[in-house]
Every structure is written in structure tokens, then in C-alpha cells.
Amino acid sequence: MDEWKMNIGTLKEEILNKLSKMLDNPTCGWRQLAAAAAEHSQFRCSEKELTSCSLQVLSASGSPARCLLAWLADRCCTLDFLLHCLKKMEHQEAAQFLATTVVELIRITVQPQSQQATAGSRVVLTCAASGPPGLGYQWFRGKEEILDETGSSPELILCPLRPAHRGHYICRINHGEKCVFSQWAHVRLLHSAGSSPGCVSEVHITHQPRPQKASEGDTLLLQCRGEANPPAQYEWYHNKMSLPLQKTHTLKIPCLTTEHRGEYKCKVYNLYQEVWSDIATVTIGPSSITEASWVEVDRGLESQEVHRPISEVERQLQQITNLQSPAKSFYATDKVALLIGNMSYVHHTQLSAPISDVHELTNHLRQMDFKVVSLLDLNWQEMHSAVTEFLLLLDKGVYGLLYFAGHGYENYGNSFMVPIDAPSSYTSEHCLCVQNILSGMQEKETGLNVFLLDMCRKRNPNDDVLVQPGLLKVTANIVFGYATCVDAEAYEVKREDVSNGIFISFLKQRVSKDEKVTVMLDRVAEDMGRCEITKGRQALELRSNLCERRSLTDQIQGSQCSASQSARNLQWAVAHVLPESLCLQFDCGVKVQLGFAAEFSNVMVIYTRILEKPEEVVSCSAELIDFPEDVDVDLKRSNQDSLLEAGCLLLIQEELPSPETASLYTRIRSLHRLKRDLTFTACLHYTYSNMDEEVQERLPVTVGKPLVSKLNLHEPRSSYSCSASSYLSHDSFNSPGCSSSTEGFSSVSCVSNTWSYFSETGNAVSNAESPTSLSANEPEESECPELPINPEPLVASKSLPHTKVNDTNYKFSDIYTFHSC
């Protein structure tokens, strides 16, 4: 049965507590359960974890067995495996209790479906469930229970259908005190020719949308008006696809691009009837900016022909010089990295690996003293702004590294990174050109430019524009590491919890080696070549003109930099500061701690913990609610008992004895879209010893703009061209003068005392002094296994904290492509 494949964490708290009491004994208890579960490596507990469980006895309400069950739930242990372990350790009472509990679980197998029919017809709503015998069914229309003879069965029959039957219906399935609710079903009444609608009138379109011709950057306005009683409603469609945000008689699209061309039509409807408008064809012509870009292409090609012989001569002269001169050590004036992982694409395949790939590379680079900015799920504007801020951090002699994981493509030798909001048929105008970013880095006279592109390099059939990057200089310090070769795809290995890309799976084992960066990447390519799963599918390609032995591990030797450069570094440090830990005092006497931890530069975790409570308060918990719409908070996974349940797979909780009251965790994403101070409400739920009803108390909380939200990446940058074209022009990366060095940081009012928040490796650290706070972005310490010389299947990473996958082989059915279409 499917119920046995559920995570043990889905069991109710009272069930887990009863099971824990049965296992809190020394003879046939939680230690024997841990030994039985160790037959699978992912459920094997370390001595440190077992000690942490045993320390629960120091707490009045602590339970070692409950702590162990929480560990197993974090590792996605299923109910059937737990039953197998209980039978293996011969704990008959616990096995019987678990088996009975699972059998009694109520699970809906058939959901009621929305229907529409004419008056006088017959409508049947069906809801079926599996579980213990004697299930009861209750049907509701809105909040009103249906008490007739058909309201207590799995089928609700509405016959004959009348206007009073219109509305939303839901079914409640119960067995004793247990119950579950079905999804809502909407019953609509359609008007027919033979019915008597009274004052109801047919839907009639009075104004049809008209075809239009427009240019890129223009605003599109289409209108469709209808008359009806009840009043007409509107829904617009583009190329037969619904536009869910367009619900009025006027369709308005600002700043047109080629993705907006095609056929538009409007559905006009009410409760009784729906009609369709005429089709309006919208054609998008080239704008003047697009036409100007063709001129830039022609000039760029001529300039490249002039400089190409010089580049070859310089390269040969440098090779001769290196052979004649003794080896010398190199250093960087600073090391900066921008890491972008795009997963949640609007119009394309969702990806899983970028979150873990960015996290692991971040930890490796920070150990090599890189100032790392790690960002997840950026749209077109946000990627542009992030690149602008990245370029502002560069200066003479700085090592700059850009890593991108997500969808991408390559046309005519140029690589393009695809934002999450790119249309289904995107072109270079909707993406970022990597070569243009390179020209901006060269303007800063950087010491080393490294690009690691973990994306596909297939040809984009929708893009026939030859993009000419800005004029590249002969710097002999460029390294491109492509996860795959030309016209090929990059893959990720799909896992239930944390996935990895093929490229990072091998790169992370060598990226910290003290050797020339091209030699390091060559060894990564050799490792991938020895892996059977990648043969004929993915092969790393290295492109470089690096003529010096520069390594990512080179030491930083700071030189005297300009005041503007110091100001930019300080402001970047401010943008990576977490809010200080807070203590909230509620009127009832309960004191609650708020702590903060950074998973990425734009992802933060907030935890709540009860510090003090009066004796008359029996139980209490503090939840966070009312977050602003700018940020992304999954309400179903907020205020959870563990980081894993909150959706955080990568942060590590400090190995400290658990307090008497556990913490609740809430994960906040998309902080880069926060337009004002982060505000939310702390809601305290508590009960008194002499009261059965729960009491609530609320306090508003404001924590400013945490982490990267201070940079306002959602705002356009003045350094960019106003072009509608999305790829960056050469002029857009020119270094601003000292007078404009702080543009884009308007939200930062003070840069004093900021270096105290910035660690020596560029890590942002919390100012909280509480010993129970979370470690921010701290990787689990474990050694990466050496890759065997003989070809073997790729194994999952051991350095990801919550997976613990050591020996599971990758299968061909597990790999997914980062395909670009």
C-alpha cells in the first residue's frame, strides 16, 4: 500500500510519542533500533548523534527514542522500513502498534471534481477513501452541511439541478476522532435554450480586440468588452495558453519583446454562458536598438581581425618567456566569486541540482579566501544587477570567478545564460552573454578571469542573431571550464532529497588543489572521462589563454586600493550581514528568541525558541506569520520542527544538547526581491494549566533588510544601457568613476563598523551571541573519496549533510539534462 511508503515524520505527534515510550528502554529500545536501521548506510547514526540522543534524558520531557525517530525522519525513513527494523529487533508491541496505526490511516483515493451542467440535469460528486472499516462521509456546500439522505455517502447526487445548488462543495471523511477533507469542487449552472432564466441575459461581445503591429519596447493594449447579466468576466489567451494575470476587459503588456508576438483572444463568460472573441494577431518588428546592434556586430568583426595576429604573437612570446624564466609565485589583490543557480524556471524544465552545486562550490571557494556571493533563481533584471555589482568589486589584480548552473545554450561561439523568466522561445535578447561579461572584467585589469558554466551548449534554433561581444583585450588570463562540449547537454543526477550535477560531482574533489587552474580542470576532465555514466554523453571542455601558473589557491596580498574600491567592498560586506538575534517579551511572561542563519546570499532561515515561560503556562510555541509578498515563503513548510521539514537541506544545526523546548524553523527565499524592511508577526500560542482553550498573542517584528536585499537587485542599474536587448553591450560595463562608485547602494546609509561582520574568508556572520544559534553556511566536515582509476558508476556526494548517501550507484534513469529547449 502507498501508506507504507510515507515518511515516518508524517505520523501525528501523539503516535510518535507513544512509539517513543515503547522504545525508551535499555534492553529492546532505541539503541537496538539504531543498530537495526544501520543496515542501510543512509540511516547509520554516528557516535556523536547517538550521544546527542542519550543526552535527552537530562531534560525533564526529553526522549532519546523521539530524538532518534526525528533523525530517521530527516533521512526520509519510510514506515515500511521502520516496521522492518522493529520486527528485526523483535519488538512485537511496537511493531503491532505501528501496523495498526498505518492501517487506520485515512487516505483519499478519489477526489470530487468540479462540474457544470444545465438546470434540471443530474450531477454526481464522488469522494472515495481507503482506511479502517466504517468510514463516515459528510458533505458541505461552503460552510453549510448537507443533511439530506444523500449527504452521508461517498456520492452526493444533485438532481434535478437547481440554481440553489451552485457553489463550492467539500467532503469530510471521518473515523472516530480522525478526519480528513477532500479538495473543493465547484458546481456551475449553465443556461440552456429550454430553461427559464428570468432576468438572465446572454453574453454578447460589444467590442472585439483588433490586430496590431508593434516594435520591441512598445506597450501593447488590447480591449474586449461584453454585456451580460450576471456581469461578464474576462480571461485572455496567448497562442492558446491562458494568461492567468489578465482578468479584465483590457490586456496591457508593457515593454514588448519577440515572445509576445502571436494570436490573442479573450473568453467572455458568466455563470450561464461563455463566448470567445475574434483572434487578434500581434506582430513584433525590430526596434531601433536592435537595428543598431547589427552595426556593432559589423564593427566588432573588423576589430577582431586586426587584433587576432597580435594575440597569437603575444601568446607565443609568453610561452618562450615562461620556458626561459624560473618559476615564480603569483598572488591576487583580492578574490571574488559570483555563483548563480537557476532552478525554478517559469516556462522550462525545473532543475534540482543547482542548489546543492552552488552550496558546495561556495564552501570550497570560501576556504580559499574568496568573497562569495551565492544567489538562487534570478530573473533577467536580477541577473543583470548581480553582474553589475560583481563587476564593481573587481579591480587590478583581483581574481574573478563566475559560476552558473541552469539552462543555457551556445550560438556562434557565444555562451548565453538563461534567466528563470525567459520565454519558451527565448533568444539572446532574453539571456546574458558570458563573453560580454568577460569584456567588463577585462576593463578592471583583473589578475585572473575564470568562468565555470554548468549548462547545455546546444544550438538555439530560435536565435539566428549573431551577437558580437565587446572588444576583448589580449590579457592571457582567461579560463573557461564548460561542463560539456559544443552542441552537447549537461546532466544532473536526480535524487529524492539533494541532487548533484555531473560537473560539480567531479570538480569539488579537485577545485581546492594547489595547482594551475587549467591543470586542475584537465584532471577533472580526465576523471569524467573514466566514468562510464558520462561516456558519450558529457565531456568537460577547457578553453584558456592563461600563460602564468595561477591557481585558485593563490594567496591574497592586498595592495593600496582606491577609496572608491574600499567603499564598494565595505558596502558589499554590509549586504551580507544577518539580523542580530532578538528576544521578544510577551505580556503573558513568555520570552522567545529569534535567530537567523544564511543558507545562501538570498536565502535565510529564521528560528524561534522558547527561552522562558511562567509555571502556569502548560505549553507554548512561537510561529512566524504575515511575511511581505516580496519574499518567497512556503506556508506549508514554515514553522517546522526541523530544518529538513522547513525545506532547508544544506544548513547544519550545531551539535548541542537539545533545549527543553524545540525550535521552529522558517525558510525565506528570494530576499533579493525585498523592496522594504523585512517585517513579520511573531504569534505565540499557549495554554494555561486551568484552561482548555488556546490563547494567542502577537508581536510585530522588523529586522531591516537582511543579506543581499540591501543591494536592491530588482532595480535597473544606471550602468546598463536602456536597450530592450537583454545581452550586455560593451559600453555598459565601463568602470564608473569615483563619483558614481556607490550607485546601486542607495539603501545603505552607513558603512562604518562593517568589517566586524565580515570574516577573513568573506563569510557573513551573525552578530548574535547566543550559544544555540545556527551556523551559517557551514559545511559538514567529511573527506571526499578519491575517484578510482577503473571506471565505476558515479556515487553520490558524501559532503552533503542530510543525504548520507555513500554507496548508492548512479543509474542512467537517474540523470536529467540541463537542456536548453
Side-chain angles (χ1 to χ4, degrees):
M1 295 175 63
D2 292 340
E3 289 85 352
W4 288 103
K5 299 301 180 183
M6 297 167 56
N7 190 307
I8 63 176
T10 59
L11 295 176
K12 292 185 177 181
E13 191 67 23
E14 57 267 23
I15 297 175
L16 291 172
N17 290 336
K18 289 182 181 179
L19 195 60
S20 300
K21 290 181 180 179
M22 300 177 186
L23 294 171
D24 280 331
N25 64 83
T27 56
C28 186
W30 64 273
R31 286 190 178 275
Q32 289 73 25
L33 175 60
E39 69 177 59
H40 283 311
S41 57
Q42 68 184 97
F43 302 128
R44 186 178 298 123
C45 293
S46 64
E47 287 299 325
K48 196 173 185 180
E49 293 168 344
L50 294 176
T51 302
S52 179
C53 291
S54 63
L55 288 175
Q56 298 299 314
V57 298
L58 301 178
S59 174
S61 59
S63 168
R66 184 67 184 88
C67 182
L68 175 62
L69 291 176
W71 281 108
L72 295 176
D74 289 345
R75 289 159 172 79
C76 300
C77 178
T78 59
L79 293 172
D80 58 348
F81 182 74
L82 177 60
L83 181 64
H84 164 74
C85 293
L86 293 175
K87 291 180 179 180
K88 182 179 179 180
M89 57 187 285
E90 298 182 351
H91 198 310
Q92 301 298 334
E93 181 185 8
Q96 181 63 31
F97 172 74
L98 180 63
T100 305
T101 300
V102 174
V103 171
E104 293 179 352
L105 289 176
I106 303 174
R107 180 173 176 270
I108 296 179
T109 57
V110 178
Q111 295 280 3
Q113 302 296 319
S114 297
Q115 299 185 41
Q116 56 185 12
T118 58
S121 59
R122 185 174 186 266
V123 170
V124 179
L125 298 178
T126 303
C127 181
S130 61
L135 293 178
Y137 295 83
Q138 292 174 276
W139 286 93
F140 295 82
R141 181 172 61 247
K143 296 182 179 180
E144 178 184 357
E145 184 178 1
I146 301 174
L147 299 177
D148 57 24
E149 63 278 3
T150 63
S152 59
S153 68
E155 290 187 347
L156 177 63
I157 302 174
L158 305 176
C159 182
L161 189 65
R162 301 188 301 271
H165 290 144
R166 295 196 303 264
H168 290 81
Y169 291 78
I170 194 171
C171 184
R172 180 181 185 268
I173 303 98
N174 57 79
H175 184 266
E177 297 180 353
K178 300 178 182 179
C179 68
V180 294
F181 285 89
S182 72
Q183 67 184 17
W184 288 96
H186 187 197
V187 175
R188 296 172 56 188
L189 189 65
L190 298 179
H191 171 62
S192 63
S195 62
S196 302
C199 61
V200 175
S201 63
E202 294 184 355
V203 178
H204 176 65
I205 296 180
T206 59
H207 183 85
Q208 296 282 359
R210 299 177 180 177
Q212 292 191 25
K213 292 183 179 181
S215 299
E216 292 177 300
D218 292 348
T219 298
L220 174 65
L221 283 176
L222 293 176
Q223 289 189 341
C224 179
R225 293 184 181 273
E227 293 182 352
N229 187 18
Q233 300 182 55
Y234 303 87
E235 183 175 355
W236 286 90
Y237 287 76
H238 175 217
N239 292 334
K240 299 182 180 181
M241 298 294 293
S242 176
L243 302 176
L245 300 181
Q246 303 293 340
K247 297 294 187 180
T248 64
H249 63 83
T250 301
L251 170 68
K252 183 178 181 180
I253 301 179
C255 195
L256 288 174
T257 63
T258 53
E259 66 166 311
H260 297 122
R261 60 190 170 199
E263 296 180 345
Y264 291 81
K265 61 180 179 179
C266 182
K267 181 175 73 173
V268 186
Y269 65 96
N270 60 14
L271 290 174
Y272 302 99
Q273 187 184 17
E274 64 180 35
V275 295
W276 292 87
S277 71
D278 297 338
I279 295 177
T281 302
V282 176
T283 57
I284 309 293
S287 65
S288 57
I289 298 175
T290 305
E291 294 168 350
S293 67
W294 281 96
V295 180
E296 290 293 330
V297 169
D298 295 337
R299 289 200 297 267
L301 285 173
E302 294 174 357
S303 301
Q304 272 194 330
E305 292 298 328
V306 173
H307 286 271
R308 189 173 298 154
I310 299 176
S311 174
E312 181 66 17
V313 172
E314 287 191 1
R315 185 183 65 80
Q316 295 178 359
L317 288 176
Q318 188 63 55
Q319 290 178 347
I320 297 175
T321 304
N322 289 341
L323 291 174
Q324 295 176 347
S325 60
K328 56 175 291 189
S329 59
F330 297 93
Y331 64 90
T333 58
D334 204 350
K335 295 195 283 189
V336 181
L338 172 63
L339 278 58
I340 300 176
N342 284 347
M343 302 179 296
S344 304
Y345 281 87
V346 180
H347 304 291
H348 304 281
T349 305
Q350 305 290 295
L351 304 178
S352 302
I355 181 173
S356 57
D357 291 348
V358 169
H359 185 268
E360 294 204 49
L361 187 57
T362 294
N363 291 328
H364 282 288
L365 293 176
R366 281 179 173 164
Q367 293 172 13
M368 293 184 284
D369 296 335
F370 271 85
K371 295 178 181 176
V372 182
V373 182
S374 56
L375 300 170
L376 297 182
D377 290 333
L378 302 185
N379 62 28
W380 178 88
Q381 179 60 64
E382 293 155 0
M383 288 184 69
H384 275 267
S385 300
V387 169
T388 297
E389 302 295 346
F390 171 64
L391 293 176
L392 288 175
L393 287 178
L394 302 181
D395 207 342
K396 186 174 183 179
V398 174
Y399 285 12
L401 184 147
L402 175 68
Y403 171 78
F404 174 75
H407 287 302
Y409 71 96
E410 180 171 310
N411 276 12
Y412 309 110
N414 292 321
S415 302
F416 296 91
M417 303 181 295
V418 180
I420 62 171
D421 62 341
S424 55
S425 300
Y426 53 76
T427 66
S428 58
E429 299 183 69
H430 309 109
C431 308
L432 271 74
C433 180
V434 176
Q435 281 69 23
N436 274 318
I437 301 175
L438 173 60
S439 67
M441 297 175 70
Q442 288 186 328
E443 289 294 322
K444 301 302 183 75
E445 300 181 357
T446 46
L448 177 65
N449 300 319
V450 179
F451 294 83
L452 302 176
L453 302 178
D454 201 354
M455 64 185 195
C456 292
R457 296 175 67 192
K458 299 283 288 186
R459 174 85 169 84
N460 184 357
N462 301 312
D463 187 11
D464 56 358
V465 178
L466 176 61
V467 176
Q468 180 62 35
L471 179 62
L472 297 181
K473 299 180 180 179
V474 180
T475 54
N477 63 355
I478 304 171
V479 177
F480 275 92
Y482 294 94
T484 189
C485 51
V486 177
D487 203 32
E489 297 174 322
Y491 294 89
E492 65 182 21
V493 177
K494 191 80 170 181
R495 289 298 180 196
E496 292 182 357
D497 42 9
V498 177
S499 302
N500 263 123
I502 297 293
F503 179 43
I504 290 296
S505 298
F506 289 89
L507 178 67
K508 66 185 180 184
Q509 302 180 42
R510 297 191 178 273
V511 68
S512 301
K513 301 293 184 182
D514 185 15
E515 54 190 7
K516 186 177 178 180
V517 61
T518 53
V519 175
M520 180 269 293
L521 290 174
D522 272 333
R523 298 189 190 279
V524 174
E526 294 171 3
D527 294 342
M528 291 179 63
R530 290 194 295 266
C531 181
E532 289 293 336
I533 196 173
T534 60
K535 286 184 178 180
R537 291 174 175 82
Q538 182 175 344
L540 184 146
E541 181 175 340
L542 173 64
R543 293 185 181 181
S544 170
N545 63 6
L546 181 64
C547 61
E548 299 172 332
R549 192 195 177 280
R550 293 192 179 269
S551 169
L552 297 181
T553 59
D554 289 344
Q555 299 296 314
I556 296 177
Q557 295 185 13
S559 60
Q560 293 183 352
C561 59
S562 63
S564 61
Q565 180 70 15
S566 298
R568 289 194 292 267
N569 288 337
L570 284 170
Q571 287 161 330
W572 191 265
V574 172
H576 285 75
V577 175
L578 285 163
E580 295 186 12
S581 180
L582 301 176
C583 285
L584 306 179
Q585 184 68 55
F586 289 84
D587 294 339
C588 63
V590 175
K591 183 182 289 186
V592 176
Q593 179 190 13
L594 292 185
F596 306 87
E599 187 178 10
F600 296 90
S601 299
N602 61 343
V603 180
M604 180 175 70
V605 175
I606 307 179
Y607 69 85
T608 61
R609 180 173 297 158
I610 306 298
L611 296 181
E612 297 177 6
K613 68 180 182 69
E615 293 181 359
E616 62 268 23
V617 174
V618 178
S619 62
C620 61
S621 63
E623 297 182 353
L624 305 182
I625 58 175
D626 299 333
F627 286 95
E629 295 181 356
D630 297 338
V631 296
D632 186 7
V633 179
D634 188 351
L635 298 181
K636 294 182 179 179
R637 308 187 73 175
S638 61
N639 302 300
Q640 297 296 315
D641 293 330
S642 69
L643 287 168
L644 187 62
E645 291 174 333
C648 181
L649 303 175
L650 304 171
L651 272 179
I652 308 299
Q653 189 170 1
E654 289 183 347
E655 301 292 343
L656 296 175
S658 300
E660 291 186 7
T661 305
S663 300
L664 297 181
Y665 302 91
T666 300
R667 185 169 180 257
I668 305 177
R669 299 165 292 183
S670 303
L671 285 173
H672 55 279
R673 294 171 187 158
L674 188 64
K675 297 181 175 62
R676 56 189 67 83
D677 288 350
L678 179 61
T679 60
F680 50 89
T681 301
C683 183
L684 181 68
H685 303 261
Y686 61 95
T687 55
Y688 287 105
S689 57
N690 57 350
M691 295 177 59
D692 294 332
E693 295 183 358
E694 183 183 82
V695 184
Q696 292 187 10
E697 190 175 340
R698 302 188 178 196
L699 282 179
V701 181
T702 302
V703 295
K705 301 189 73 174
L707 299 178
V708 81
S709 63
K710 292 186 178 71
L711 295 183
N712 297 321
L713 297 183
H714 56 85
E715 297 178 354
R717 291 303 191 259
S718 58
S719 60
Y720 280 107
S721 167
C722 296
S723 168
S725 171
S726 66
Y727 57 84
L728 311 180
S729 66
H730 172 63
D731 294 334
S732 68
F733 283 107
N734 287 336
S735 177
C738 294
S739 61
S740 62
S741 62
T742 59
E743 291 181 6
F745 296 90
S746 58
S747 64
V748 181
S749 58
C750 177
V751 295
S752 61
N753 299 326
T754 55
W755 285 112
S756 62
Y757 298 99
F758 211 84
S759 67
E760 295 180 357
T761 61
N763 261 328
V765 296
S766 173
N767 218 22
E769 298 179 358
S770 170
T772 57
S773 62
L774 295 179
S775 57
N777 241 345
E778 179 182 345
E780 184 180 25
E781 294 182 2
S782 60
E783 297 181 358
C784 295
E786 294 294 333
L787 188 74
I789 298 178
N790 297 326
E792 292 184 0
L794 183 64
V795 297
S797 163
K798 289 179 63 177
S799 61
L800 297 181
H802 290 285
T803 55
K804 305 296 184 186
V805 180
N806 296 324
D807 303 318
T808 305
N809 291 336
Y810 287 172
K811 301 177 181 178
F812 287 112
S813 59
D814 289 331
I815 62 174
Y816 284 70
T817 175
F818 283 12
H819 60 74
S820 59
C821 56

